């Protein structure tokens, strides 16, 4: 999954980015989840923590809102829900 967005405010390096997936997904989302920061956010020591369908991303540099450079984060190895 790739999330591309513009936050309403500048992001400081001590902030966390929080992504919550719907209840249809498994609580741990998969066994080998990886987060890849693919944009102007510079991964200083990027960390991706999974907890109850939620993804918490930390360890990036400051980000100034820029309409031409949105934040883009890919989450790979997520197991899709079975319907």
């Amino acid at each position: 999954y790739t999330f591309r967005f513009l936050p309403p405010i500048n992001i400081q390096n001590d902030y966390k980015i929080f992504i919550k997936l719907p209840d249809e997904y498994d609580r741990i989302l998969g066994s080998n989840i990886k987060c890849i920061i693919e944009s102007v956010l510079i991964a200083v020591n990027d960390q991706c923590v999974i907890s109850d369908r939620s993804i918490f991303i930390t360890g990036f540099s400051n980000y100034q809102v820029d309409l031409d450079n949105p934040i883009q984060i890919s989450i790979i190895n997520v197991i899709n829900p079975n319907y």
Side-chain angles (χ1 to χ4, degrees):
Y1 294 92
T2 298
F3 299 90
R4 186 180 170 120
F5 59 95
L6 282 170
I9 60 170
N10 294 333
I11 293 180
Q12 305 300 315
N13 62 359
D14 59 344
Y15 287 13
K16 293 180 183 176
I17 295 175
F18 170 73
I19 298 169
K20 174 85 171 160
L21 295 179
D23 290 343
E24 291 80 17
Y25 287 81
D26 184 79
R27 289 189 180 280
I28 61 169
L29 301 178
S31 61
N32 191 25
I33 304 296
K34 294 186 190 272
C35 299
I36 302 169
I37 299 172
E38 302 180 292
S39 64
V40 295
L41 272 184
I42 298 170
V44 174
N45 183 21
D46 61 320
Q47 296 185 24
C48 183
V49 176
I50 310 299
S51 177
D52 195 23
R53 297 178 198 94
S54 299
I55 303 161
F56 299 89
I57 303 163
T58 60
F60 43 80
S61 62
N62 294 341
Y63 169 77
Q64 301 289 322
V65 176
D66 180 348
L67 298 177
D68 294 325
N69 292 303
I71 293 172
Q72 183 168 312
I73 298 172
S74 290
I75 312 296
I76 58 172
N77 298 327
V78 173
I79 296 174
N80 290 323
N82 295 322
Y83 291 102

